[in-house]
Amino acid sequence: MTTHPSTAGQGVGPLLRAWREQRRVSQLELALRADSSARHISFVETGRSRPSEEMVLRLAEHLDIPVRERNTLLLAAGYAPRYPETPLDDPALDALREGIERLIGGYEPYPALVVDALYNVVAANRGIMTLVDGVCASLLEPPLNAMRLALHPRGLAPRIRNLRAWRGHLLEQMERQIALHRSEPLRELYEEVAAYPVPEEDPGAGPQEPSEPVPYFALPLRIEHEGRTLSFISSISTFNTPMDVTVAELAIETLLPADPATAKYLQSLLS
């Protein structure tokens, strides 16, 4: 994983340069994207020119900088933050919360949950609660964290039949998020869960592969539940063009049954 030097207290120029270099975009390429000039980009990065508020936002957009960090850039340039960070329980987000609850509730009996930028679970349906039944109580105390729940030896890890592959997928996903957001709390969470010991495979836990070949189109999560192995394909959705930091950092994960047996079993639970 790449480490990033602290940018606290820096002006907007060094911050923009750090983001541009991380995105591997040249000054000329960024200038062409933002309808500017490489000379002006150079002057902004070295502090010889103060960018307008519009230019800061335009460069941030073309560098795909998360909205939380766009506020940081605006402050560094001497402007007020553009994007609010509204608590999820604020009445202003009532419609959002209700929509999320309807969405994941309508997905039942298949599992679905909503997490924030640190993978803390802010909403989950009954399908998720079915899978975590019997997990160590301390891991289910608020704030419930999806990564700890999945990878902790007293969490779901001993039940995941393809743990090494699934663990690798989750850690790579976190690495991509760290590279995108440059979040120190997320990096600390990564270091914590990456250090969890990997439970040994139990030879008596049942077959590691389906009884019949299944043409998986993506890496499945294969998890044991009450003596049977369920298979899921994960899909993650985010909100398009968010204008609030809280909303920008929410992700909805749904687990699609990866084989007919899993779908049939979950439907039987609903009935």
Side-chain angles (χ1 to χ4, degrees), residues 189-203:
L189 176 64
Y190 173 92
E191 292 173 352
E192 175 191 333
V193 299
Y196 290 160
V198 179
E200 294 292 333
E201 294 182 355
D202 181 3

Side-chain angles (χ1 to χ4, degrees), residues 47 90 255:
D90 191 285
L255 297 179

Side-chain angles (χ1 to χ4, degrees), residues 224-271:
E224 187 274 335
H225 177 72
E226 296 186 353
R228 68 183 70 219
T229 299
L230 305 179
S231 297
F232 299 96
I233 299 296
S234 171
S235 173
I236 298 178
S237 304
T238 56
F239 290 92
N240 188 36
T241 319
M243 301 299 294
D244 186 285
V245 173
T246 299
V247 178
E249 294 179 344
L250 293 179
I252 304 170
E253 181 168 11
T254 53
L255 297 179
L256 176 72
D259 56 48
T262 298
K264 183 177 179 180
Y265 175 69
L266 294 174
Q267 289 290 346
S268 72
L269 294 181
L270 183 64
S271 60

Side-chain angles (χ1 to χ4, degrees), residues 65-148:
I65 297 175
V67 294
R68 180 184 294 276
E69 283 69 30
R70 296 184 194 193
N71 280 342
T72 301
L73 290 173
L74 288 168
L75 285 170
Y79 303 110
R82 173 68 64 91
Y83 304 94
E85 185 175 359
T86 309
L88 195 57
D89 60 357
D90 191 285
L93 296 184
D94 281 351
L96 173 70
R97 291 196 312 276
E98 293 170 3
I100 286 174
E101 292 291 346
R102 284 197 300 270
L103 179 64
I104 64 175
Y107 197 68
E108 294 175 353
Y110 308 147
L113 73 163
V114 183
V115 297
D116 63 16
L118 292 178
Y119 293 94
N120 292 318
V121 178
V122 300
N125 69 4
R126 290 179 295 176
I128 288 292
M129 303 317 295
T130 297
L131 293 183
V132 302
D133 184 39
V135 165
C136 179
S138 63
L139 292 173
L140 299 178
E141 295 177 358
L144 175 64
N145 186 273
M147 288 297 177
R148 292 191 181 100

Side-chain angles (χ1 to χ4, degrees), residues 177-191:
Q177 291 300 106
I178 292 169
L180 176 63
H181 294 280
R182 302 198 306 189
S183 166
E184 190 58 34
L186 186 57
R187 180 179 298 277
E188 292 173 0
L189 176 64
Y190 173 92
E191 292 173 352

Side-chain angles (χ1 to χ4, degrees), residues 11-13 16 36 40-41 43-59 73-74 76-79:
V12 67
L16 282 169
S36 183
H40 182 57
I41 299 298
F43 278 17
V44 167
E45 291 185 354
T46 58
R48 296 179 63 183
S49 177
R50 178 180 181 236
S52 66
E53 181 179 14
E54 178 187 0
M55 177 57 73
V56 172
L57 292 172
R58 191 187 312 165
L59 295 176
L73 290 173
L74 288 168
Y79 303 110

